[in-house]
């Protein structure tokens, strides 16, 4: 199953650092979405990559973190 993991930050620098770390760890940019206005990062990952993505996002202290099934649209 493919999931969208979303992290909600209240600090733009923390969100930027999380995004940069995801890129440096090899997550494809085309599967990353960074909304600077809402300070949210979304990562589209297969279920097996979810723990790694969540670990990276948590390191940067999000206010909230959740995963949902990915819906193309």
């Amino acid at each position: 199953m493919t999931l969208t993991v979303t992290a909600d930050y209240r600090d733009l620098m923390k969100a930027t650092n999380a995004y940069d770390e995801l890129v440096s760890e090899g997550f494809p940019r085309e599967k990353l979405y960074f909304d600077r206005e809402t300070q949210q990062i979304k990562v589209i990952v297969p279920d097996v990559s979810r723990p790694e993505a969540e670990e990276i996002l948590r390191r940067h202290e999000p206010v909230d973190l959740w995963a949902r099934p990915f819906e193309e649209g």
Side-chain angles (χ1 to χ4, degrees):
M1 173 185 285
T2 302
L3 301 168
T4 302
V5 179
T6 305
D8 186 13
Y9 296 90
R10 292 290 177 249
D11 181 309
L12 185 57
M13 186 56 65
K14 288 180 180 182
T16 301
N17 290 341
Y19 179 86
D20 290 344
E21 186 173 349
L22 288 164
V23 170
S24 72
E25 290 295 323
F27 285 85
R29 288 180 192 265
E30 63 271 8
K31 300 292 183 179
L32 302 176
Y33 300 89
F34 185 2
D35 185 334
R36 292 179 188 280
E37 187 174 313
T38 63
Q39 299 172 2
Q40 284 189 348
I41 295 178
K42 296 183 181 201
V43 187
I44 299 171
V45 294
D47 196 38
V48 296
S49 297
R50 177 183 179 178
E52 182 183 3
E54 288 182 348
E55 179 183 334
I56 291 169
L57 293 167
R58 279 195 181 99
R59 281 186 207 143
H60 301 279
E61 304 172 348
V63 174
D64 200 4
L65 180 73
W66 64 93
R68 294 195 175 124
F70 174 69
E71 297 178 22
E72 284 194 58

